[in-house]
Amino acid sequence: MLRAIISVSDKRGVVDFARGLSTLGVEIFSSGGTQRALEEGGLAVKSVSELTGFPEILDGRVKTLHPAVHGGILARRDIPQHLAQLAERGIRTIDMVVVNLYPFVETVSREGVTLEEALENIDIGGPTLIRAAAKNFPHVLVVVDSSDYSLLLEEMSGGEVGLELRKRLAQKAFQHVALYDTAIARYLNVDEDALPLELTAGLVKLQSLRYGENPHQSAAFYKDVLAKEGGIPSAKQLWGKELSFNNILDADAAWRVVTDFDDPTVAIIKHTNPCGLASHEDLGEAYRRALAGDPVSAFGGIVAINRPLTLEAAEEIAKTFYEIILAPDYAPQALERLKRKKDLRILSMASTAAEKGASLEYRRVAGGFLVQTPDDASEDPAQWKPVTQRHPTPQELADLAFAWRAAKHVKSNAIVIAKDGALLGMGAGQPNRVVSVHLALRRAEERAKGAVLASDAFFPFADGVELAGEGGVTAIVQPGGSIRDQEVIDEANKHNIAMVFTGTRHFRH
């Protein structure tokens, strides 16, 4: 007779699964809440204490940590000495372990959870059972996922469970424990900015994707196990077909932009760069100003709004083809209007909070990863240092603050031209900063006259400022710090440009 230990926190489907095992002649041992659930389901279940001959102690903290349990799991059936040692001590083999772990992530994700509550939800016996069974998977079945119950019953009904399925279940088991341990380690890392000596990323698969960046690449979408609500993984899709790999990248970029602004803001994203961006109390007007930034590039892009979408704004948005709309909520009539566009994907976002103190950011390189804290430095424009003869006017300073925040979300070398809370032109991703200035001015055209310019990093030469002055730019914000800063300042003075240094740069490679 096969013997199984069943001890699960997530009890979905466990009664039916245990009933199926019992029908196949499996003897079941359990404890605590799982034993009660199985008995209430009409099943005959034996206590783990009957295996160990020892009662649960320390409020259930110690019940399965016993040689009678782990000897029965770890003994190799193909080594006679192992079986002889079990027989000598009156220990019988255990053939199946069905375990999932205390809800640690769910516990620590709650507001106001205490350290004591978190520690009480760190499972000890469960991971030990899982690892022991997974180590001995050629002889012991290990099940951590309720979605595998029906498949396993089907295999067992047909006879011996094959090595391929046993190995797959073991891999899943080790990954389950690794994810659990990662969540605990990250929770206990009290310094959120720390870059520890050893690091694992805890990811849970949300969905498979049709393909990656290109059709020949496989891809899937994962959620950070400890991520706070608010990003694309927690979005609710209200309309449209499945998101693609590139859709998700662009949607994330769009949402990061608008949640970085406190005022009502609309962003239009193309290839992760904002080609349109504007802040205005009236969302319809904010959208019109954002669209005016680059109406040609906007076609087929993504629109994000950091306020509930009004019908007026929806009517304006509906005039152009977009892939995705993101907003925290939608007026019923606005949603109805947008749903007339069958190819549009509509996402409702869980939160408009900017990602301050968010998880670490990862960038893949061959053979390793680069890891950094997010670019969420707190900056006060009132503390910026004016370096030219003319200081910016209050209106220029407000526009500089808008442009500076926008430049943070544009790929380097980033140049942004803005006025009245709207992006008029931008240059992104150019090896040469002067080329970025040229592209931004070309997009802004005559609107550059009287506008301001932001550069994500310092100007290494005066030529970029010279070009901006010839285009009519009246104020510039940049980090400063070049060995040629004085030449750059002199060029700004020549054009009566007000320039301020922030002392902070915002490269986005």
Side-chain angles (χ1 to χ4, degrees):
M1 175 183 288
L2 298 178
R3 305 165 86 226
I5 291 178
I6 303 180
S7 180
V8 292
S9 174
D10 178 1
K11 296 177 176 59
R12 287 175 295 180
V14 73
V15 173
D16 289 338
F17 179 55
R19 187 174 290 116
L21 292 177
S22 183
T23 301
L24 292 171
V26 177
E27 186 179 17
I28 298 172
F29 295 84
S30 190
S31 62
T34 304
Q35 184 176 357
R36 288 192 296 274
L38 296 180
E39 289 175 340
E40 289 170 3
L43 291 159
V45 182
K46 296 181 178 180
S47 170
V48 168
S49 295
E50 293 185 48
L51 277 177
T52 63
F54 198 89
E56 296 183 16
I57 62 171
L58 306 181
D59 298 320
R61 289 182 179 220
V62 178
K63 46 183 178 277
T64 60
L65 299 172
H66 193 280
V69 173
H70 290 280
I73 295 172
L74 287 166
R76 286 182 53 174
R77 280 52 162 179
D78 57 343
I79 299 180
Q81 297 94 317
H82 282 197
L83 298 179
Q85 288 178 38
L86 291 189
E88 182 182 343
R89 290 163 178 78
I91 297 173
R92 294 173 58 193
T93 57
I94 294 168
D95 308 287
M96 180 185 299
V97 169
V98 183
V99 174
N100 54 56
L101 306 174
Y102 293 171
F104 178 81
V105 171
E106 292 83 347
T107 299
V108 299
S109 296
R110 296 199 311 261
E111 287 292 331
V113 66
T114 65
L115 178 62
E116 182 179 357
E117 289 176 295
L119 294 178
E120 284 301 311
N121 278 277
I122 295 178
D123 204 327
I124 300 301
T128 307
L129 285 171
I130 292 171
R131 288 177 61 83
K135 172 184 173 69
N136 203 20
F137 74 85
H139 308 287
V140 181
L141 289 160
V142 58
V143 188
V144 297
D145 185 352
S146 60
S147 68
D148 292 317
Y149 290 167
S150 58
L151 172 62
L152 188 54
L153 286 175
E154 183 180 342
E155 287 278 322
M156 293 177 69
S157 298
E160 177 64 26
V161 178
L163 187 63
E164 183 179 345
L165 178 56
R166 289 173 175 271
K167 185 176 180 180
R168 183 158 63 83
L169 292 173
Q171 183 277 329
K172 209 171 194 178
F174 279 120
Q175 188 61 71
H176 183 66
V177 175
L179 184 70
Y180 194 77
D181 287 342
T182 293
I184 295 168
R186 284 178 50 187
Y187 171 77
L188 294 176
N189 182 8
V190 294
D191 182 358
E192 291 186 356
D193 290 335
L195 296 169
L197 181 63
E198 296 179 322
L199 184 64
T200 53
L203 305 176
V204 178
K205 188 175 182 179
L206 294 180
Q207 66 186 93
S208 295
L209 302 174
R210 286 180 297 160
Y211 54 81
E213 260 183 307
N214 300 290
H216 59 273
Q217 295 173 267
S218 300
F221 187 25
Y222 290 81
K223 180 183 186 296
D224 186 329
V225 68
L226 285 182
K228 298 177 182 178
E229 292 293 309
I232 305 302
S234 56
K236 182 179 179 181
Q237 187 164 350
L238 306 179
W239 183 255
K241 59 186 179 182
E242 184 179 293
L243 295 171
S244 71
F245 185 96
N246 292 331
N247 286 157
I248 293 168
L249 279 178
D250 286 335
D252 176 68
W255 195 240
R256 285 173 183 263
V257 174
V258 294
T259 55
D260 204 18
F261 287 82
D262 296 325
D263 295 330
T265 300
V266 175
I268 303 173
I269 298 294
K270 201 69 173 287
H271 302 303
T272 72
N273 282 303
C275 62
L277 178 66
S279 296
H280 196 278
E281 287 301 317
D282 181 276
L283 284 182
E285 180 61 21
Y287 169 74
R288 286 187 287 271
R289 293 186 181 197
L291 179 63
D294 192 342
V296 175
S297 297
F299 183 87
I302 290 177
V303 179
I305 308 100
N306 66 356
R307 295 291 191 278
L309 188 63
T310 62
L311 175 59
E312 180 207 353
E315 291 283 7
E316 292 291 332
I317 291 170
K319 295 175 183 178
T320 301
F321 169 71
Y322 291 110
E323 292 274 358
I324 304 173
I325 305 292
L326 304 91
D329 201 2
Y330 298 81
Q333 290 177 311
L335 187 58
E336 182 181 340
R337 174 65 185 90
L338 292 175
K339 282 185 175 181
R340 296 179 199 170
K341 302 176 77 67
K342 64 178 183 178
D343 292 326
L344 178 67
R345 301 165 179 87
I346 303 174
L347 299 184
S348 175
M349 305 303 295
S351 170
T352 56
E355 284 201 317
K356 303 295 183 184
S359 301
L360 297 174
E361 295 181 346
Y362 301 82
R363 297 286 294 274
R364 184 77 168 93
V365 297
F369 286 86
L370 292 168
V371 183
Q372 65 176 356
T373 56
D375 183 7
D376 57 8
S378 179
E379 296 181 76
D380 180 4
Q383 302 302 314
W384 291 345
K385 179 183 177 182
V387 294
T388 47
Q389 294 169 357
R390 188 176 74 79
H391 291 194
T393 66
Q395 180 59 51
E396 285 174 331
L397 187 59
D399 284 336
L400 288 170
F402 175 90
W404 183 244
R405 185 156 293 196
K408 188 173 81 170
H409 298 278
V410 176
K411 292 295 177 72
S412 299
N413 287 315
I415 296 292
V416 166
I417 294 176
K419 188 176 183 180
D420 296 329
L423 186 152
L424 306 180
M426 66 92 176
Q430 300 302 310
N432 188 313
R433 190 163 296 276
V434 175
V435 174
S436 286
V437 175
H438 172 75
L439 291 173
L441 289 169
R442 179 177 165 187
R443 178 64 261 163
E445 298 178 318
E446 290 299 309
R447 297 174 299 167
K449 290 182 170 60
V452 306
L453 180 149
S455 174
D456 65 342
F458 63 64
F459 284 99
F461 301 100
D463 49 3
V465 174
E466 179 183 12
L467 190 59
E470 291 170 354
V473 168
T474 63
I476 292 175
V477 57
Q478 60 134 321
S482 167
I483 60 173
R484 293 184 174 84
D485 271 349
Q486 192 56 54
E487 294 176 25
V488 172
I489 294 168
D490 291 343
E491 187 65 33
N493 285 328
K494 186 191 301 184
H495 294 273
N496 197 31
I497 292 173
M499 181 182 289
V500 295
F501 284 0
T502 67
T504 305
R505 80 175 189 199
H506 288 295
F507 271 152
R508 188 173 183 81
H509 286 295

